[in-house]
Amino acid sequence: MGKSRRSVEAVVEPVDGGLAELIPDRERTHAWTLLIDGAPQSHVDLDDPTHLSFEYQRRLGHVIDLVAPPGKPVHAVHLGGGAFTLARYLAATRPRSTQQVVERDAALVQLVRQKLPLEQNARIRVRSVDAHEGLAKVADGWADLVIADVFSGARTPAHLTSTEFLDEVRRTLKPGGYYAANLADGPPLAHLRGQIATAAARFPELALVADPTVLRGKRFGNAVLVASDTALPLAELTRRAASDPHPGRVEHGKALLDFTGGAAAVTDAGAVASPAPPASVFR
């Protein structure tokens, strides 16, 4: 007999980015939530890697589902690893896919590998380097999908918010490939508006998926930006987002560009980190 869920204790260890905590999920036997300095980073169910608990991860999961026909293997790059939730999801839903995970925090990678091991046959390579440096090592036109979910101290680093960064993303993408980014912002949404303008300067097709209250600037939250050089599956993305436990709205086209309010594209010279979330977000 294995340990009961009640006897499983949290794991608390210092990592490069702060204090990591792996908290057992009381409702799912082999599931855990990863926190860094109290900020939730990932949720993983080792018994069911297709289970995506966090709202923004479900929305990124929709992008993974729609990047190619169901079950077709793809090449994917994950900038920011956390507990490898999305890499596990992709490996489970698209077997034989080849994935590269770039997670700067080497101590976190070691902790996750030890406590939440990846499937042995998963074709997932993990590099413990800065996201920009790791992306530079990806071959031209290799990726069907690049996912950016990079936070340091709950903020996206400035050098991952610019047109120069997106030039590197586009270099790695195959024609028709998708770029998806987890963006976090609150009122007055200056960061989010700037990130949409930046993506629009490099990609002809954009969509944004978010909770309507976030888009209205009523609260701090996450938004998923999807970009491509080809038409996006907007109808299916809209349907999936609307059917989530916390329904999301999809903005695109003129309405999305109008949402930017004339914000300028961000370059390396003027880039700043995303805003820190208010303390109340994690209470």
Side-chain angles (χ1 to χ4, degrees):
M1 296 273 303
K3 293 182 179 180
S4 71
R5 179 82 298 191
R6 290 180 183 275
S7 67
V8 177
E9 296 183 354
V11 177
V12 181
E13 289 190 15
V15 294
D16 299 339
L19 188 68
E21 299 174 81
L22 288 172
I23 309 297
D25 187 327
R26 299 300 175 186
E27 297 180 357
R28 304 178 77 91
T29 305
H30 296 113
W32 301 79
T33 299
L34 168 68
L35 294 85
I36 305 291
D37 287 342
Q41 301 288 324
S42 303
H43 180 279
V44 170
D45 187 336
L46 298 179
D47 291 337
D48 181 11
T50 67
H51 175 75
L52 298 176
S53 178
F54 288 3
E55 180 181 287
Y56 84 87
Q57 290 184 328
R58 282 195 298 274
R59 289 168 184 162
L60 288 170
H62 299 328
V63 178
I64 291 171
D65 293 341
L66 297 172
V67 72
K72 180 182 178 182
V74 297
H75 289 170
V77 178
H78 302 264
L79 304 176
F84 311 145
T85 304
L86 292 169
R88 298 173 201 265
Y89 178 86
L90 195 152
T93 58
R94 298 182 177 278
R96 303 181 309 283
S97 292
T98 303
Q99 303 185 69
Q100 299 185 44
V101 177
V102 182
E103 171 54 62
R104 182 175 185 171
D105 194 326
L108 176 61
V109 170
Q110 183 178 3
L111 174 64
V112 171
R113 282 189 179 278
Q114 179 185 2
K115 301 297 184 182
L116 309 174
L118 292 165
E119 292 286 341
Q120 289 189 346
N121 61 352
R123 300 170 64 177
I124 301 172
R125 178 180 181 180
V126 183
R127 288 192 173 109
S128 295
V129 297
D130 174 79
H132 210 309
E133 181 182 344
L135 190 62
K137 296 180 183 298
V138 178
D140 292 2
W142 181 84
D144 297 287
L145 175 65
V146 174
I147 295 177
D149 184 17
V150 185
F151 287 86
S152 176
R155 304 177 71 184
T156 302
H159 68 291
L160 305 180
T161 67
S162 67
T163 52
E164 289 89 343
F165 167 67
L166 290 185
D167 286 337
E168 193 69 6
V169 170
R170 284 212 66 170
R171 178 191 63 77
T172 66
L173 282 173
K174 297 177 182 178
Y178 292 0
Y179 169 65
N182 175 30
L183 307 174
D185 199 8
L189 300 178
H191 174 71
L192 183 58
R193 297 180 202 279
Q195 287 304 285
I196 296 167
T198 304
R202 292 299 182 265
F203 289 95
E205 301 292 335
L206 302 178
L208 187 75
V209 191
D211 185 301
T213 60
V214 173
L215 290 178
R216 291 197 298 268
K218 299 296 185 182
R219 68 172 178 87
F220 193 98
N222 296 82
V224 169
L225 178 65
V226 189
S228 182
D229 63 0
T230 193
L232 293 165
L234 295 170
E236 184 61 16
L237 185 61
T238 298
R239 185 189 71 78
R240 291 177 182 237
S243 65
D244 278 339
H246 297 283
R249 192 171 83 209
V250 176
E251 292 286 2
H252 61 91
K254 184 177 185 299
L256 183 56
L257 293 182
D258 288 347
F259 175 78
T260 66
V266 177
T267 65
D268 277 349
V272 296
S274 67
S280 59
V281 168
F282 304 129
R283 286 176 187 164

